Amino acid sequence: MAPMGDNVVVSNKELEKLLSMKGGKGESSYANNSQAQAIHAKSMLHLLKETLDRVQLNACSDDEIPFVVVDLGCSCGNNTINVVDVIIKHIIKRYEALGFNPPEFSAFFSDLPSNDFNTLFQLLPPFLSNNNGGVSMEECLAANNHRSYFAAGVPGSFYRRLFPARSVDVFHSAFSLHWLSQ
């Protein structure tokens, strides 16, 4: 596509390739070079928790409707996993403070189709269900190197619709919304 003044017009496919993080676990990968983003995320946790305190909780029984968390622009490192863990643990504490049994949780990790979802999912700790031999949600959360949610990847651009209406309880995005034009 032709340049226009100081701006260059780029196709959507070329733009998605240009904006992709370096996948894998190598020396120059995002997974090994995202310490600045981790520091930023940690510094913002108090704001995240304040926001989560305003999320409306569903008082239905824990078997009815899962609580759904989405990270937009997840990339392929531990930062997204750490933030999702904070979100879910905070929401569980809120349910318990209200005297409700926490629901099951689903976490959707969304990024461009060129994202290295394989590396991201290899970084996820194994799932430990609260239905495994009577293990409680508290025991599940206390277990080191285990997660208490179902995980899935959703490749696509958030310029287009990614999820059904009213299907997500919390969206999180740390370093991707600056790409929006409006």
Side-chain angles (χ1 to χ4, degrees), residues 72-114:
L72 297 172
C74 67
S75 196
C76 57
N78 279 319
N79 294 338
T80 187
I81 296 166
N82 294 336
V83 169
V84 167
D85 284 343
V86 166
I87 292 170
I88 291 173
K89 287 177 182 177
H90 191 81
I91 294 296
I92 287 172
K93 286 179 186 175
R94 286 195 54 218
Y95 270 103
E96 290 173 345
L98 294 170
F100 298 137
N101 288 329
E104 290 184 316
F105 289 85
S106 292
F108 293 108
F109 298 93
S110 182
D111 209 322
L112 297 173
S114 55

Side-chain angles (χ1 to χ4, degrees), residues 144-180:
N144 289 331
N145 300 320
H146 286 87
R147 64 185 156 88
S148 59
Y149 55 87
F150 296 93
V154 180
S157 168
F158 54 72
Y159 282 102
R160 294 175 209 76
R161 188 169 176 183
L162 294 169
F163 302 95
R166 295 177 301 281
S167 66
V168 177
D169 295 289
V170 171
F171 282 100
H172 175 266
S173 180
F175 288 101
S176 60
L177 291 181
H178 61 282
W179 295 111
L180 291 176

Side-chain angles (χ1 to χ4, degrees), residues 15-36:
L15 186 61
E16 287 181 7
K17 186 175 181 181
L18 175 71
L19 299 177
S20 295
M21 298 295 172
K22 181 153 175 65
K25 297 179 187 175
E27 185 177 326
S28 62
S29 69
Y30 178 83
N32 287 323
N33 291 283
S34 56
Q35 296 84 3

